[in-house]
Amino acid sequence: MLANKTLLSRIANYLIINASSVNHLGLYHGKMGLVLFFEHYARYTGINFYEDFAEELLNDICENINSDLSIDFENGLTGIAWGIEYLVQNEFIEGNTSDILFEINKIIIERDPLRMQDVSFNRGILGIAYYFACHISMVKDNMSQYYFKYLYEMKCALVVNRIKFNEIKIYKRIYPFYKLINSGEVYCKIKCQFPQDLLNPVSIDLLERKELSSFHLGLHLGLAGIGLNEMLK
C-alpha cells in the first residue's frame, strides 16, 4: 500500500508539472480527465491543494467551451458534461447541473439523432445517450421532459441502425440509458459510474518499471486513468 501511495504521489506531481501542455478539453484525453483525477486524489490524500488545482482546470474548461467543439463522449461536450455531472453527484463540487449544463445541453440537442451516422459509444449516439441518462434524473425543471423526449429519439435512431439492446456488450455500456427508457419515468435515479474500458487497466506494478514520460497524461491509456483506477479499487 505504501508503494502505491508513493507512486500515486509521483503521478500527481508529474501531471501538475505537465498539465499546461494539455490543450484538449475532453474527458478521455484532455483536461476533464485530469480534473476527475485530482478531485479524487484530493479526497484520497485530504490535501486541499489538489482540489484547488482541479478547480483551476475546470474553470479553464468552462471558459473555453464553445459550439465548435464536437458533441461526442470521448472528445467533446457530452464527455465534459458527464464529467461535471459525475463531480456533482459524487459531491466533489456543489451546484445544480440543470443550470450548469443548460447551455451545453442546448448545443447537443440541436443535433438530430436520426441524422447521426456514428452509433458508437465513444464518438456516436450511444455515448450521448449514456450522458443524458445519467444527467436527466438530476434535472428539476421543465427541461426534463424535453431531454426525455430526446432520449427516445436516440432510441429510435439506434433501432434504425439495428442496434440490439440485448447484446451483452451494448447492454453493459448503456445500462443507465436502457434502464431509464424502459422504466418510462423521467426521475428514475441513475448514478454516474465510469464507463466500461475508460480507465486504463494497466497495473501499477508495470508503471513502476517504466518512466512516467512513456505514458499519455489523460484518463484513457494514460497516467490519470492509471492513478484513478488505483484509487477506485
Side-chain angles (χ1 to χ4, degrees):
M1 181 63 70
L2 180 60
N4 290 358
K5 287 183 178 180
T6 301
L7 195 51
L8 282 171
S9 176
R10 287 180 56 212
I11 291 173
N13 292 335
Y14 187 86
L15 290 177
I16 288 172
I17 293 170
N18 292 280
S20 61
S21 67
V22 179
N23 297 318
H24 198 288
L25 302 181
L27 176 64
Y28 277 54
H29 315 291
K31 290 182 179 179
M32 192 68 236
L34 300 188
V35 170
L36 297 182
F37 169 83
F38 280 111
E39 288 286 3
H40 271 279
Y41 193 63
R43 183 173 288 180
Y44 178 81
T45 61
I47 299 174
N48 292 334
F49 169 78
Y50 298 111
E51 184 178 2
D52 294 339
F53 190 76
E55 184 178 348
E56 289 181 14
L57 289 172
L58 184 57
N59 287 338
D60 185 58
I61 292 170
C62 293
E63 288 172 2
N64 288 282
I65 286 176
N66 60 76
S67 59
D68 293 330
L69 292 173
S70 66
I71 67 169
D72 65 80
F73 196 84
E74 179 178 350
N75 299 301
L77 292 174
T78 50
I80 293 170
W82 179 89
I84 294 172
E85 185 69 59
Y86 177 91
L87 291 173
V88 173
Q89 284 196 23
N90 289 279
E91 300 181 346
F92 288 101
I93 63 175
E94 296 181 352
N96 182 341
T97 55
S98 297
D99 298 330
I100 296 170
L101 299 174
F102 179 75
E103 293 298 326
I104 294 179
N105 290 341
K106 278 176 58 179
I107 297 171
I108 296 170
I109 62 180
E110 287 177 353
R111 294 286 302 276
D112 181 355
L114 289 172
R115 295 183 180 275
M116 296 180 190
Q117 299 299 311
D118 192 333
V119 298
S120 69
F121 185 91
N122 290 5
R123 302 193 178 185
I125 296 174
L126 290 175
I128 300 169
Y130 178 77
Y131 156 63
F132 270 109
C134 293
H135 171 60
I136 196 171
S137 64
M138 302 296 288
V139 177
K140 306 303 182 185
D141 52 38
N142 58 8
M143 290 301 295
S144 59
Q145 292 289 347
Y146 196 68
Y147 298 150
F148 200 65
K149 179 177 179 292
Y150 192 65
L151 279 173
Y152 270 104
E153 291 173 357
M154 281 187 276
K155 180 180 181 180
C156 292
L158 293 170
V159 170
V160 167
N161 284 281
R162 299 181 180 179
I163 297 297
K164 297 179 180 179
F165 290 98
N166 60 350
E167 291 181 5
I168 190 65
K169 290 183 179 180
I170 298 295
Y171 180 79
K172 283 184 176 180
R173 300 213 94 183
I174 62 166
Y175 173 71
F177 170 65
Y178 181 88
K179 179 180 178 182
L180 189 64
I181 286 295
N182 285 278
S183 74
E185 298 178 6
V186 174
Y187 295 110
C188 173
K189 188 68 173 177
I190 302 294
K191 186 172 178 61
C192 282
Q193 295 181 337
F194 281 95
Q196 185 183 24
D197 303 330
L198 171 56
L199 299 183
N200 190 358
V202 173
S203 72
I204 207 153
D205 293 333
L206 175 62
L207 184 59
E208 288 178 321
R209 299 194 297 270
K210 301 184 71 172
E211 293 293 331
L212 297 187
S213 59
S214 64
F215 292 87
H216 300 295
L217 301 183
L219 281 186
H220 185 60
L221 302 177
L223 292 175
I226 296 170
L228 188 50
N229 188 61
E230 185 68 17
M231 286 185 282
L232 292 175
K233 284 182 178 179

